[in-house]
Amino acid sequence: MQASPMSMPRGTASQHLRDSNAAERESTKEGQAGGTFRSKANVLSGQPDMEALAASLQARDCMNDNRMDPGLGSGFLPGEERVRQLTMRRQNCMWTFIFAILGVVLAVTDNEIRWDSLDDFYNVTKISFTLRVLVVTTTILTLYFLYKYYETLINLRRLSGIRLPPGVSISSLKGGGYWSQFLIDVLIMLPQPLPLLDVNVTIWNKGLGRASIYELNSILCCLMFVRFFYVPRFYGECISDLQSESTVALGRMNRVKIDESFILKYVIANSMQVVIVLTLLQIVMFAYMMMVFERVVDNGALQHFANCVWLTIITMTTVGYGDEFPTTLLGRMVSVMASIVAVVMLAITVNLVIAKLTLSRAESKVIAVMDKITLRKDLKHKAAVVIQRWIRAHKEYMEGERRGSTRGGYMMIPDFKSARRKNMDLRAQVLSNLPLLESINDFKETSDESFSNNLQTDVPELVGNLSSQLVQQEKRILELNKKAEEVNNLVAKLLAKKKQDTLQRSRA
């Protein structure tokens, strides 16, 4: 039994203190990650603080326990051991996903072979039995690699300085924060077709007035689709770096848990390709489950997979032509689940489309400059049209004046009128030209639009320039104040020195 630090003699405490300091220097040379077991400053300086001494002894015992753990590799430095454990974690995650999905493929194959060979049941029994044995084998291998995956997670926690019980147990899983996740993973792997389990299940279709008989293994085969829950983990571990040590550390700094839900949110919110793949995968899964639950109905149109895909698509797109519809209880439950999932995927798709079509700041600036150039060209064109029509109207008026007649609706200006009166009449007559007035109005509208556009562009730029100039002025003022303080301090020192020299001379 280890003695309490408070009850140790002075010599024993000093010895333990020297041992803890030596252990910490050794961990520093090895590059021990985490730094959670460093002693306090007063212990390093040799102060006999009992709390710091107890922390140092606990750190030494924890490091010794982790080094003696059989789950960790011997003969490796902590940095090398961490790299090895990270590589093993990725490999175990990859094999877990591969065998889990392989089990789904084998179960679907077995289910379809048994359904297509109902008339020749005895000839396919051996094939079906072999496929189900393979399904169970893949499940066992998946659980094995799942166990190794959590073993590497716990070893990484130990290397980061967390003291956990040896091996993979309930205590170590709870201590590492993986118990609930491990339990969910095991429950996901439980549904599967079993050999020699030829049991039929009768489900009464409430409201339809009849019952449907299913094979239990067919229902278990449909429940195996929950294994696609491993897709986000596989993407985060083996394809991207979303579950790397740096990402997890950054998440802990911001109190964000980097798990499957976070990876799914990140991928769905940033990748249209992933959303399309997930939508197609959901269509295939719901269509197959619909076919399995509806083909027990005699002469039903949903016995064919193509019709089930059609029904799933028009259900998920909320079209609902009504030409095909489920007639069993389980089929209707699948249709309801497809509708709920479709609402979520539709919202995600709309969000992604808006995000993709939203212009960036640089793109908006380019478009604004292009609009300004186009508006300037339009303004020049309309100004030229106004000038041309004004000249044409003035020319027509002057020709009529010279002929002394009224053409084109213009009235003669008597010769006895003054020059000012002539100019006023000329203005009135020229502005009575309707095409000229239309061109002037168009020019005014374009000019106002150009002015407002320039104002929207120039005002923020002007405000930004003024703000930057104010900041620079403030910096200059601070620098001047600092230099003024230095000058004042220098003057004060010179005055003090001069006063001191005067006193010394007066005493002499």
Side-chain angles (χ1 to χ4, degrees):
M1 181 179 299
Q2 185 178 355
S4 174
M6 298 298 295
S7 61
M8 293 181 183
R10 181 176 296 272
T12 307
S14 301
Q15 183 65 31
H16 279 284
L17 180 61
R18 288 193 294 271
D19 294 341
S20 62
N21 290 335
E24 183 165 1
R25 287 194 296 271
E26 181 182 355
S27 62
T28 303
K29 292 179 181 179
E30 292 178 353
Q32 179 68 28
T36 57
F37 298 134
R38 294 179 179 176
S39 303
K40 295 183 178 180
N42 52 6
V43 176
L44 291 174
S45 59
Q47 299 295 332
D49 190 355
M50 292 296 104
E51 295 181 358
L53 178 61
S56 300
L57 293 174
Q58 184 179 2
R60 186 194 63 181
D61 295 339
C62 182
M63 286 188 293
N64 291 333
D65 292 342
N66 289 337
R67 288 170 181 172
M68 293 185 296
D69 190 356
L72 298 176
S74 58
F76 292 94
L77 294 176
E80 296 176 352
E81 178 62 23
R82 180 176 293 276
V83 173
R84 191 177 73 90
Q85 292 294 332
L86 288 173
T87 304
M88 292 176 61
R89 186 182 72 176
R90 293 190 184 93
Q91 292 177 354
N92 292 328
C93 178
M94 179 185 66
W95 288 114
T96 300
F97 177 78
I98 290 174
F99 283 113
I101 302 304
L102 181 60
V104 176
V105 174
L106 292 174
V108 171
T109 304
D110 169 63
N111 192 31
E112 293 306 305
I113 289 177
R114 290 180 65 85
W115 176 261
D116 294 336
S117 304
L118 289 177
D119 298 334
D120 195 10
F121 178 77
Y122 294 101
N123 292 331
V124 298
T125 302
K126 295 182 179 180
I127 300 176
S128 177
F129 180 81
T130 303
L131 289 174
R132 293 182 183 180
V133 169
L134 291 176
V135 171
V136 175
T137 303
T138 56
T139 302
I140 294 173
L141 291 174
T142 303
L143 292 174
Y144 169 74
F145 285 107
L146 192 64
Y147 174 86
K148 301 297 290 183
Y149 174 76
Y150 281 99
E151 184 180 14
T152 54
L153 291 179
I154 293 173
N155 290 337
L156 288 172
R157 284 297 180 93
R158 291 194 182 100
L159 287 173
S160 63
I162 299 177
R163 191 170 185 176
L164 297 174
V168 180
S169 60
I170 297 177
S171 300
S172 60
L173 289 171
K174 289 183 177 180
Y178 301 118
W179 170 245
S180 59
Q181 182 180 348
F182 177 78
L183 193 61
I184 292 173
D185 289 341
V186 173
L187 292 176
I188 287 174
M189 295 304 302
L190 291 182
Q192 58 180 321
L194 298 175
L196 304 177
L197 183 63
D198 296 327
V199 179
N200 293 330
V201 178
T202 302
I203 298 178
W204 179 256
N205 300 315
K206 188 176 181 180
L208 301 178
R210 63 176 183 271
S212 300
I213 301 176
Y214 302 97
E215 289 188 1
L216 181 59
N217 286 325
S218 297
I219 298 176
L220 294 175
C221 175
C222 293
L223 292 177
M224 289 184 69
F225 286 121
V226 297
R227 296 189 179 188
F228 285 96
F229 176 79
Y230 294 141
V231 172
R233 182 185 302 172
F234 174 74
Y235 182 86
E237 291 277 3
C238 303
I239 298 178
S240 66
D241 293 331
L242 292 177
Q243 282 192 331
S244 61
E245 287 294 304
S246 58
T247 306
V248 173
L250 184 62
R252 289 175 182 172
M253 291 173 59
N254 295 276
R255 297 182 180 179
V256 176
K257 186 177 182 182
I258 310 299
D259 54 0
E260 285 80 5
S261 61
F262 174 82
I263 296 173
L264 190 61
K265 290 178 185 177
Y266 173 80
V267 173
I268 288 179
N270 294 278
S271 178
M272 179 65 75
Q273 293 81 4
V274 174
V275 173
I276 294 174
V277 172
L278 288 178
T279 303
L280 295 177
L281 183 62
Q282 291 170 3
I283 291 174
V284 172
M285 289 192 301
F286 286 128
Y288 183 76
M289 288 191 290
M290 183 74 71
M291 182 184 68
V292 171
F293 296 146
E294 288 291 325
R295 64 186 175 186
V296 296
V297 180
D298 295 335
N299 298 324
L302 297 179
Q303 290 183 355
H304 304 286
F305 183 72
N307 294 334
C308 294
V309 171
W310 167 253
L311 175 60
T312 304
I313 292 175
I314 63 175
T315 301
M316 295 183 70
T317 54
T318 67
V319 176
Y321 289 114
D323 54 345
E324 302 291 344
F325 55 89
T327 58
T328 62
L329 179 61
L330 295 181
R332 292 184 175 182
M333 291 176 63
V334 172
S335 180
V336 170
M337 289 189 295
S339 301
I340 295 173
V341 171
V343 171
V344 178
M345 297 303 297
L346 180 62
I348 294 172
T349 304
V350 171
N351 184 28
L352 274 176
V353 170
I354 293 174
K356 293 294 182 182
L357 295 179
T358 301
L359 297 177
S360 63
R361 183 177 180 182
E363 292 172 344
S364 301
K365 189 173 181 179
V366 170
I367 291 178
V369 173
M370 293 173 61
D371 291 341
K372 186 182 292 185
I373 294 173
T374 304
L375 194 61
R376 189 179 300 171
K377 291 181 178 179
D378 193 13
L379 187 63
K380 290 180 179 179
H381 173 72
K382 291 183 178 180
V385 171
V386 170
I387 294 173
Q388 289 175 359
R389 291 184 179 180
W390 180 277
I391 293 173
R392 187 181 296 115
H394 183 270
K395 184 177 180 181
E396 290 178 355
Y397 174 77
M398 295 305 295
E399 288 178 355
E401 180 69 16
R402 283 195 300 269
R403 288 194 300 266
S405 60
T406 58
R407 292 184 179 180
Y410 298 112
M411 296 177 63
M412 290 183 59
I413 300 177
D415 296 334
F416 58 88
K417 291 183 179 180
S418 63
R420 183 178 181 184
R421 182 68 178 176
K422 289 181 179 180
N423 290 333
M424 292 177 63
D425 291 343
L426 176 62
R427 180 183 176 86
Q429 294 298 330
V430 171
L431 292 180
S432 63
N433 192 335
L434 293 180
L436 177 59
L437 294 177
E438 291 177 355
S439 62
I440 291 174
N441 291 330
D442 292 341
F443 175 77
K444 188 176 182 304
E445 291 178 358
T446 307
S447 178
D448 293 340
E449 185 180 356
S450 176
F451 176 76
S452 62
N453 190 10
N454 292 332
L455 189 64
Q456 293 176 359
T457 305
D458 296 338
V459 169
E461 185 177 357
L462 180 62
V463 172
N465 292 332
L466 292 176
S467 300
S468 62
Q469 290 178 5
L470 288 175
V471 172
Q472 292 178 359
Q473 292 293 336
E474 290 178 356
K475 290 182 179 179
R476 291 176 183 176
I477 291 172
L478 292 175
E479 291 177 357
L480 292 175
N481 291 332
K482 188 176 180 180
K483 290 181 179 179
E485 290 179 358
E486 292 178 356
V487 171
N488 291 331
N489 294 331
L490 183 60
V491 170
K493 290 180 180 180
L494 291 174
L495 291 175
K497 187 176 180 181
K498 184 177 181 181
K499 186 177 180 181
Q500 186 178 2
D501 293 341
T502 305
L503 290 175
Q504 290 178 358
R505 290 176 183 176
S506 62
R507 290 176 183 176

